[in-house]
Structures are given as C-alpha cells and as structure tokens.
Amino acid sequence: MENWPLPSTHSERLKPLEVVGLSICLLVGASPSVFAQAGGQGVMEQVIVTATRREQPINEISRSVITLDQKELALELAKSSNIANALGARVPGFGAPSHIDQLRTQTLRGREPLYLIDGIPLAFNGGAGFLQGPLVKFDTGLVSRVEVLYGPTSLYGAGGTGGVIQFFTYQAPEDKAVEFNLRQSVTVYPGVSKVLGRDSLSWRTGARVAGDLGKVDYLASLSYDSQNGVFDGNSDLANPVYYGYADDTSYFVKLGFEPDEQQRIEFSYSLVDKEFEDRNFEVEITDDLFAIGVETDEDRRFTYVGPYQPVDEKSLYSLSYEHRDVLGNQLRLQYYGRKDEIIEPLVDFGFELFGVSNYQNVKTDKSDGIRAQLSREITDRLTVMFGSDYEQQTREADAFVYDLGNRDPEDRVINQPVGNGLFLYPFELKTLGLFVQFDYGFSNRLRLSGGLRREDAEFTIGPGLRLFDFAQITRQGGSGEDDGIAYNLGLTFDVNDSLTLFANYAEGFEIPSLSQVSNLVPPDEPLTSNRAIEPQIVDNFEFGLRGAMGAIRYTAAAYYSESEFGQNFLYDQQTGLGSYNRSPERNYGLEFTVDWQATEKLQIHSNFGIITAKFDPDGDGPGGYVHQSGLDVQPWKLTFAGDYQLNQALSFNFLALVIGDRDEALNDEIDVWEVRGYEVLDLGLDYKIGLGSFGVQITNVFDKAYLAPSSQSYSNNVFFAPRVAGAPGRALSLTLEFNI
C-alpha cells in the first residue's frame, strides 16, 4: 500500500488566519467593480425561515441561521446520497464530511445539534453510533431545503445544545393534478481496473409522483440506492465496514387535506430498509504508521446460523393539524412516531478482543411524541407563542458475543447470547417541555425576543453487559428524573437596509446519553446518585451581523458557550478504549460567510469556521482546562464554491474544501492522534435537455489520498484499525433527471 501523502508539520499548511485573509482578498478586496455595478450599496434579501417554529424573516432572528436551497442540495447529493456530507461541505461550524453513515466527529460548534425532518426528531438519546446515524432514516433525495439554527434553543425538546438542523421535504405543486419526477444516477471510480464492475459501480434510482387536486394534495416516492465498492486515492478498496456494500430501499408518502383556507391536515410516512453483506478483514500497518482494515480473501468467509440475521429498518410517521385563525390565534398540533430496528451484521475483524472475535448488538428504538403550540399577534409589534412537547422513548437491547474461529466443518458460526446490551443499555425516557416565547418590535429597526422552557424528564435504565477491567460484568439498572429551566433573550438592530446587528443569550437543557454515562458508573454504585447521570445546562452567548454591499451578502458571528456537566471523550491509553467524562466545558469560535454575485452568470460562495473547545477533566478550575478530543470538536474549515451559468442550458460548478490541522488534544494527552488537514476539489456541470437535465460531478478531482477526521480518530489504535477507511478518491457521478 502506498504512503498516505499527509503533512506531518503545521509549517506545510495554511494557518487559519491566513485562510481568513485569503478569503477576504478573494471575495472582497478583489471586487471593486461590484460596488459600482450595484450603486455602492446593496439591500438584504427577505429570506423567510421556519426553524423558529413560525415563519419569520431571517433579519428578525437574533442568532446565526444558514439555509441550503434545492440547487445546493442537488449538487451535493449527486455526489453522494449521504446528506451529512452536504452539511459538512456547506455548513460552517459543522464537522467535515466523514463519508460514513455514523456522525462521528460531526458536531455543530463542538456540540450535538437536534435533527428534525418536517418537525420529527431523528436521533434517539445517544443514537448517533454505528448503524444509528440519524441522517440515514429518510430518503435524502426528498429534501428540498435545510435550515440550520445555531446555538441552544428553548423552542424544542431536550437536546440540541449545538443548534437545530431541520430538513424539509418536497411539497406537491400547486394547481397541477399530476407531476412525475424520474431520477437515475451512477457513480464509478475511473482509476480502477474494472470501472463497471460490482466493486466500482454504485447506482441510485428514484421515482416521485405528486399533485394538487384542490382540497387534497399528495406526494409518493420510491427509491433504490445500491452502494457498492468505494476506492480511495491510492485506488485501493476502502474499508467496507463503513463504506459500500449496502442496498437501501426507501418508501415515502405524504397526503394533505385543506377543508378551507384556514385549515390543513397532513399525514406522512417514511420507511428505509437497508441490507448489508458480511465482510472479512485483517489489519495492515502503512509506512505512515496508520493501521488500516483491509478486506481479506474469500477463504475466510463464513455462514451465520442463528435467530438474528442482520436487519436495519427505520420508519417515521407524522399527523399534523394547522388552523391559521382560532379566535385570532394560529394553532399547530403534531403527533409523530419513529422506530429503528437494527441487528448489526457480523464482521470478522481478524483478531480477538476480550477473548472473543466480535459481538452483535440487537436493538430496537421506539418513540411517540406530541407537539402543540399557539401563537398570536397581540399588536402590530408584539407576537407571543406558547406550547408543549411530550415524548416517550424506549430502547430494547441485547448482545450476542461469539468466536468466529469456532466453526463447524461447513464454516458455520452460531451465536450464543451471554447478556443484555453490550454498551447499549435498554432504557425508557419520558420528557415534557413547556415553553413561552415573545417577539417585540420597539421600532422598525429594533426588536427584542426571548422566552423560557421548562423541561422535565423521567428515565429508567435496564441492566446491561459492561467490560470492566477486561471482565464481563452485568451492570444493574436504575431510575431517576431530571428537570431544568432554560432561558433565551435576543436583540436585533437594523443599522440600515444593508446591515443588521444581533446578539443572543440562550440556555439549552440536555439529558446525557443514557447508554454512555451508564458505562461511567461502577457496578457497585447506584445510577441515580452518580454525577454522571446529571443533565447538562449550556449557556451560550453570540454576537454577529448580516450585511450587504453591492452584489455581496455577508455574515459574521462570534460565540461562547459553557456548561458545568459536559460530556467529553477521554481516551484510555492503557486499554485502548474510550469513555466519557462529565466535567466543565467551554467552547468559543468565529464563523464567516460571503455570497458574491460577481456577474450575471457567476455566483461565488465562501464560508469559514474555527472553534476552540476545552474541558476540565479533574475539576481543578481555570488552570485545569485542556483541549477537547477530536471526536467532539472539528478542526477549522474553509469552503469555497461557485456556479457559472454559461447559457440557459449549460452551467458549471465547483467546490473546494480545506480542512485544517488540529493537534491541541494530542499535545494535552487527551487524544493519541492529531487531525491532519487536507484539501479536496470537486467539479461539475449541468445541462438541461427538454423535460429534464443531465449532470456530471467529479469528486476529488486530483485523486488525493487522505483520511477524513472520523477515520483518523481510529488510525492509532490497532483494535479499531478495521474501522479506518481511506476517503473516496476520484469518482465520476452521472445523473439523469426528468420532470413530466
């Protein structure tokens, strides 16, 4: 295997401040003609967002907001159906693309965001692990818009201390009885020997029908996503523990009924069924001392015989009602449910850990929730909204430990159950939130907003199997309850039609990961009296601006957040395992975005984000703070993208992504790895043909060999080497789409 061309010293790379300066020179200093074209001053567009649980102009929101439109999403989803990659490439403050379903190292400003699709929460408590990624629970091709609301908020339930990321699905077209959409895409790696072979060719087919029949509208879709081999920049097959060899079948239906102009009832249902193949690996050490999992020959194949064959099914459903005028109030109600049923596939890692070759988690997560809110314009200047959210989550978990070396003459492996839940504790969690929000305009330029939320939670944790000192010990469960009040207060001031200043203070309430924190409590101590189980209250301060100058739109924000009981990763260098530490935590950083309409045909966008995050693992006070793990905090990131419309039919696009180095956690002996940065360039074109379009996207144009931060976090630990995967090399994606 060739060496990974990754720099070992910071002197070989751009520093963050150099990147900021370069961005300013490219996007502001190099564009004096723009001001002349627009008469020297621009006016900000009135973008309407709904992430605040009501329609609101973006300039009235006292915190950072980022939106991704249908065109931006289409460009990114043409490269990969993994929408987390689109967020990593396009959203400042969000972790770099990991190219895997798991949101490993992908936080928002160093904290976990709350993910929603059409108002339905996507992640369960502690549900961002392997095969539990919240962004693989729906057909990403149905998403027409994404809104990112930064910072903790009192608007939604427990969680989301980093912010809220909401996905919105397509709506049926107005006044059109039937509309068909057909989409076919293929991805190949042109540098491999068998370009069209099963180890290179991946493809996706989707069909959607929608229409408006007057009082009734509908949308239904079916898609099939076959992900096969992924090749890295060395033309080697990337590790399929996380990459490829899985087929997704997605079903979606949405029905709307409007009995009159004031009311709407809507039902939606989504199901994603994933199928895996078993894979076999051995560990290989590269010249750069990276431990890589490499697929082995066919002679280590096995047949699993047992009651639990691999399953991965995720379903969502929602029934909502809206009345726009109930005695002058706007009423919104929503009932939703979700279910994840996961039986992990068997993987031969090629070595034993704790006396066994592997283990298999069997897990079912279910939840039901109700949202209710009432908003009213008291006067032309004052709007008040209040409501409640209730949710009940349950997790059923079992574990099966087995030895893949113990096979019968026909190479069959039979699992034997040894306990309940290995690292996945069964639990039940009930949360009730009551909130009130107000928005008051002192004048046409000055607005004040604020509110509070009362959150109550009750939980019961069942017994589970935990590995203490390399011994299998059953950890007893327990019950408890948490509560807290979170406040928020914000101010916006329109200096003029081209500049808005905003400031915000907000608190967030979060129940810790019940599975993770249970592992922190020794078996002889009760769960309910341990510090590890206490909730996290996050205090967040943000200051920023939104502005326009001629053809340029820009934003800038600075933020600081702190919490007394953070959930921070600690790496045990003796055992090679990690755990979580509940300790004081501080995050602060800067973010910038610039959009430039350079000419009538050329649009340029750039964003930059950098964060510093520290925690106090021993509670020693200011002198005891060290940098957080790279699992919790991402390195600095710069995105530079553009779109050139040559004519009405043909357009070109590009996206350059620069990820910085991060070695602070290594220097503080929190991590045993440093994040080594890289640069990636994607190019593409789109050509309109009659009723449809034809698109070409080339990702990683220079076929650069690199590891995403998620894989780098595994690379210095031989036990987890099978999970290290080289990032995708040069890939060619072709998309054909028709609208009828």
Side-chain angles (χ1 to χ4, degrees):
M1 181 177 291
E2 298 180 28
N3 295 342
W4 293 89
L6 299 172
S8 58
T9 63
H10 291 280
S11 61
E12 300 176 39
R13 310 192 53 80
L14 291 172
K15 302 297 189 295
L17 291 181
E18 294 173 345
V19 173
V20 175
L22 178 61
S23 301
I24 294 174
C25 290
L26 287 173
L27 299 177
V28 179
S31 58
S33 61
V34 174
F35 302 100
Q37 294 171 5
Q41 189 157 9
V43 177
M44 289 186 293
E45 299 174 334
Q46 290 296 309
V47 179
I48 305 297
V49 297
T50 59
T52 55
R53 294 184 72 153
R54 67 184 183 92
E55 294 183 353
Q56 193 172 8
I58 197 170
N59 68 306
E60 295 181 2
I61 299 176
S62 60
R63 58 177 69 210
S64 294
V65 180
I66 294 291
T67 63
L68 300 182
D69 60 25
Q70 182 178 342
K71 184 175 182 179
E72 293 171 300
L73 289 170
L75 289 177
E76 297 305 316
L77 293 176
K79 307 170 190 176
S80 168
S81 58
N82 186 344
I83 203 167
N85 290 342
L87 298 179
R90 297 273 181 171
V91 176
F94 192 80
S98 64
H99 307 291
I100 60 178
D101 290 344
Q102 181 187 8
L103 291 172
R104 187 178 176 86
T105 71
Q106 289 188 288
T107 58
L108 185 64
R109 292 182 173 178
R111 298 186 184 273
E112 293 295 334
L114 176 66
Y115 299 97
L116 302 165
I117 181 166
D118 293 338
I120 307 173
L122 290 170
F124 291 92
N125 177 272
F130 181 45
L131 298 185
Q132 302 169 56
L135 302 188
V136 295
K137 300 183 179 183
F138 55 94
D139 181 0
T140 57
L142 290 171
V143 178
S144 63
R145 189 173 85 259
V146 179
E147 294 179 3
V148 181
L149 187 69
Y150 287 82
T153 170
S154 300
L155 292 169
Y156 296 94
T161 55
V164 177
I165 299 180
Q166 175 126 238
F167 304 93
F168 298 90
T169 57
Y170 281 98
Q171 295 292 331
E174 293 185 6
D175 302 323
K176 189 174 183 180
V178 180
E179 179 183 80
F180 290 99
N181 175 272
L182 302 175
R183 185 181 181 90
Q184 175 68 58
S185 63
V186 297
T187 297
V188 296
Y189 294 83
V192 303
S193 57
K194 297 180 180 180
V195 175
L196 299 181
R198 185 177 180 283
D199 281 341
S200 174
L201 175 65
S202 294
W203 56 278
R204 184 178 187 181
T205 298
R208 183 175 74 241
V209 58
D212 183 358
L213 304 177
K215 291 186 176 183
V216 177
D217 56 81
Y218 65 93
L219 185 150
S221 75
L222 172 65
S223 68
Y224 186 79
D225 190 1
S226 179
Q227 296 295 321
N228 290 313
V230 174
F231 289 81
D232 60 32
N234 292 323
S235 297
D236 293 322
L237 185 64
N239 184 345
V241 168
Y242 282 136
Y243 285 167
Y245 301 105
D247 297 330
D248 287 357
T249 304
S250 300
Y251 311 86
F252 181 81
V253 62
K254 180 162 59 175
L255 299 174
F257 173 59
E258 297 186 0
D260 54 48
E261 294 182 354
Q262 301 298 330
Q263 300 181 80
R264 178 173 176 82
I265 302 172
E266 185 174 280
F267 169 79
S268 66
Y269 175 78
S270 169
L271 173 66
V272 176
D273 184 4
K274 182 184 289 288
E275 296 183 1
F276 294 92
E277 289 188 12
D278 299 334
R279 317 302 292 178
N280 299 265
F281 303 94
E282 62 186 12
V283 176
E284 179 174 319
I285 307 299
T286 71
D287 294 340
D288 286 336
L289 300 181
F290 280 95
I292 306 291
V294 181
E295 187 176 10
T296 65
D297 297 331
E298 293 288 331
D299 58 5
R300 280 180 54 185
R301 297 289 182 186
F302 61 88
T303 301
Y304 168 61
V305 179
Y308 293 105
Q309 297 295 325
V311 172
D312 188 344
E313 291 186 354
K314 302 180 176 72
S315 60
L316 306 166
Y317 56 89
S318 169
L319 179 63
S320 61
Y321 172 75
E322 179 181 7
H323 198 301
R324 301 177 183 89
D325 187 7
V326 181
L327 300 177
N329 303 284
Q330 185 180 60
L331 172 67
R332 291 181 178 176
L333 302 172
Q334 182 183 32
Y335 167 74
Y336 63 84
R338 49 192 170 140
K339 180 181 179 181
D340 291 2
E341 184 177 359
I342 297 174
I343 301 177
E344 294 181 351
L346 305 185
V347 179
D348 184 355
F349 287 139
F351 62 88
E352 287 192 357
L353 179 63
F354 309 121
V356 299
S357 297
N358 210 328
Y359 63 89
Q360 181 184 39
N361 278 316
V362 178
K363 177 183 73 72
T364 299
D365 281 330
K366 294 185 292 184
S367 77
D368 295 278
I370 299 176
R371 297 191 187 278
Q373 68 183 61
L374 198 66
S375 60
R376 181 183 181 90
E377 291 188 5
I378 306 298
T379 68
D380 292 341
R381 294 186 176 185
L382 176 63
T383 300
V384 176
M385 176 173 60
F386 59 92
S388 65
D389 301 310
Y390 174 79
E391 184 178 85
Q392 177 177 338
Q393 298 183 29
T394 59
R395 167 172 291 173
E396 300 173 358
D398 290 300
F400 297 87
V401 176
Y402 54 90
D403 182 359
L404 290 180
N406 185 18
R407 309 180 185 183
D408 66 13
E410 298 179 1
D411 278 339
R412 296 183 303 177
V413 176
I414 301 177
N415 268 355
Q416 296 297 327
V418 299
N420 294 321
L422 184 63
F423 305 109
L424 285 177
Y425 289 75
F427 66 81
E428 181 180 49
L429 173 64
K430 300 177 181 178
T431 58
L432 174 64
L434 304 174
F435 70 90
V436 60
Q437 292 286 124
F438 74 89
D439 187 274
Y440 180 73
F442 289 101
S443 66
N444 292 334
R445 297 190 179 276
L446 182 63
R447 303 187 69 87
L448 177 69
S449 61
L452 61 87
R453 182 185 185 92
R454 165 78 185 196
E455 196 83 26
D456 291 277
E458 298 179 358
F459 59 86
T460 300
I461 304 175
L465 188 67
R466 172 61 172 156
L467 302 174
F468 285 96
D469 298 326
F470 300 95
Q472 297 174 7
I473 299 175
T474 299
R475 174 73 178 86
Q476 297 303 313
S479 300
E481 55 184 51
D482 291 325
D483 60 75
I485 298 179
Y487 302 89
N488 67 284
L489 190 66
L491 194 68
T492 63
F493 177 64
D494 295 337
V495 178
N496 50 48
D497 291 340
S498 301
L499 178 62
T500 297
L501 307 179
F502 63 86
N504 179 272
Y505 166 74
E507 293 181 324
F509 178 88
E510 182 177 46
I511 305 298
S513 171
L514 298 179
S515 290
Q516 292 288 358
V517 299
S518 299
N519 291 327
L520 304 181
V521 182
D524 56 347
E525 294 184 15
L527 286 174
T528 54
S529 62
N530 195 281
R531 172 188 173 99
I533 211 71
E534 294 190 32
Q536 178 179 200
I537 301 292
V538 175
D539 296 287
N540 185 82
F541 303 85
E542 182 179 14
F543 304 91
L545 55 87
R546 305 181 185 96
M549 291 188 299
I552 293 178
R553 308 291 184 269
Y554 60 89
T555 69
Y559 59 89
Y560 171 83
S561 69
E562 61 181 4
S563 56
E564 183 178 357
F565 296 112
Q567 186 169 307
N568 303 287
F569 182 83
L570 281 178
Y571 187 88
D572 190 327
Q573 300 189 28
Q574 294 182 343
T575 66
L577 298 175
S579 63
Y580 281 85
N581 176 273
R582 302 302 309 280
S583 53
E585 178 180 337
R586 298 173 179 174
N587 295 7
Y588 50 93
L590 298 170
E591 291 166 359
F592 305 92
T593 70
V594 178
D595 289 276
W596 174 26
Q597 185 72 47
T599 68
E600 290 184 359
K601 296 183 176 182
L602 177 62
Q603 291 180 326
I604 298 293
H605 168 80
S606 182
N607 65 65
F608 174 79
I610 185 170
I611 178 174
T612 298
K614 297 182 178 182
F615 72 112
D616 183 8
D618 299 319
D620 297 334
Y625 277 82
V626 294
H627 287 85
Q628 287 185 11
S629 169
L631 288 178
D632 299 320
V633 180
Q634 57 270 18
W636 61 264
K637 182 181 69 175
L638 170 68
T639 298
F640 192 69
D643 182 87
Y644 181 74
Q645 190 75 40
L646 180 64
N647 52 48
Q648 291 184 347
L650 181 61
S651 64
F652 299 90
N653 62 82
F654 72 89
L655 186 141
L657 183 65
V658 182
I659 305 299
D661 297 319
R662 188 176 187 270
D663 63 358
E664 292 88 348
L666 174 66
N667 296 336
D668 285 345
E669 299 182 348
I670 297 301
D671 290 339
V672 295
W673 77 92
E674 67 170 310
V675 178
R676 299 193 235 177
Y678 51 89
E679 307 86 21
V680 182
L681 176 65
D682 301 339
L683 298 176
L685 64 85
D686 187 78
Y687 184 72
K688 290 181 173 54
I689 47 174
L691 296 175
S693 63
F694 175 71
V696 179
Q697 293 291 326
I698 304 175
T699 57
N700 196 354
V701 171
F702 297 110
D703 208 17
K704 186 177 183 64
Y706 70 96
L707 298 178
S710 56
S711 279
Q712 293 189 42
S713 67
Y714 284 129
S715 59
N716 283 45
N717 188 327
V718 69
F719 291 124
F720 295 108
R723 299 186 180 186
V724 176
R730 183 187 299 119
L732 176 65
S733 298
L734 308 176
T735 301
L736 185 62
E737 183 172 10
F738 291 99
N739 290 290
I740 303 174

